[in-house]
Amino acid sequence: MGLSKKMEEALNKQLNAELFSSFLYLSMAADFQSKNFTGFAAWLEVQSKEENEHALKFYRYILERGGKIKLSAIDAPKNEWQTPLEAFQDTYEHEKKVTNMIYKLLELAIEEKDYATQEMLQWFVKEQVEEEAQTSQIVEQLKIIGESKNGWFMLDHRLGKRKE
């Protein structure tokens, strides 16, 4: 049994949302790089790559279930943030938005009794818990640091050590 048209459309929409997330984080990385915050930039480049991998999970799943891929235009993301706190608050808010999108997909899969999609989406439910926790922690650390340039550089150094 393949995907319903409604589920196929919803999964394609999420695929595109994941690609937008990748673009957003790459845009943030570029902004940090231009300000010589190479650690923040490196962390966000890894995050961008991860979001692209999420998009590919949806891509492969849609095809595996006999669906058709329908890529659509991706909006240009914002390209400048005044402070690291502003950027990571945007990151956290974006992750919460993505979580809600995943939950809506799961609700649709339950409504349609699409057990395979429910199972696939569980990976994303767990992933979003991790994504929100990571970004929330960085936001809270940046709130503690405030406008301290030394604090920004210390956190920049630490985040630059993130591996794939």
Side-chain angles (χ1 to χ4, degrees):
M1 182 171 153
L3 294 170
S4 71
K5 283 295 170 200
K6 190 173 182 181
M7 183 58 71
E8 180 182 302
E9 287 174 17
L11 291 170
N12 269 296
K13 185 177 177 186
Q14 188 64 38
L15 186 164
N16 279 308
E18 299 291 341
L19 290 171
F20 174 80
S21 296
S22 179
F23 270 34
L24 175 63
Y25 298 145
L26 197 58
S27 183
M28 287 179 174
D31 185 46
F32 277 121
Q33 192 70 44
S34 73
K35 295 171 181 166
N36 293 311
F37 282 115
T38 57
F40 290 131
W43 192 93
L44 285 157
E45 284 176 15
V46 171
Q47 193 65 26
S48 173
K49 183 178 177 187
E50 193 173 288
E51 299 302 335
N52 194 59
E53 289 169 4
H54 294 173
L56 287 172
K57 282 183 185 287
F58 281 102
Y59 172 89
R60 290 181 188 117
Y61 181 76
I62 293 165
L63 292 174
E64 186 176 40
R65 293 289 308 280
K68 180 162 177 48
I69 299 297
K70 295 177 188 137
L71 297 176
S72 59
I74 299 170
D75 292 334
K78 182 176 170 179
N79 60 22
E80 189 172 0
W81 290 262
Q82 297 307 306
T83 65
L85 177 59
E86 180 189 352
F88 279 95
Q89 282 174 324
D90 282 2
T91 301
Y92 179 54
E93 290 305 314
H94 183 74
E95 288 300 333
K96 291 193 303 186
K97 179 181 171 186
V98 170
T99 298
N100 285 326
M101 293 172 78
I102 297 294
Y103 290 170
K104 283 185 176 34
L105 278 174
L106 186 54
E107 288 167 8
L108 178 60
I110 291 167
E111 177 186 311
E112 295 204 350
K113 297 182 180 171
D114 183 341
Y115 302 111
T117 300
Q118 289 176 46
E119 177 66 25
M120 183 274 294
L121 289 171
Q122 288 305 315
W123 184 90
F124 286 96
V125 169
K126 291 174 190 158
E127 177 69 8
Q128 284 308 118
V129 169
E130 179 187 309
E131 303 266 338
E132 284 190 33
Q134 278 184 339
T135 55
S136 174
Q137 180 185 51
I138 295 167
V139 166
E140 293 308 311
Q141 289 172 347
L142 284 164
K143 284 179 182 176
I144 292 166
I145 290 168
E147 297 295 315
S148 166
K149 302 259 190 276
N150 282 343
W152 288 354
F153 284 112
M154 288 172 65
L155 187 56
D156 179 69
H157 179 72
R158 185 175 66 79
L159 292 182
K161 294 180 179 184
R162 179 183 184 189
K163 301 297 177 213
E164 304 295 313

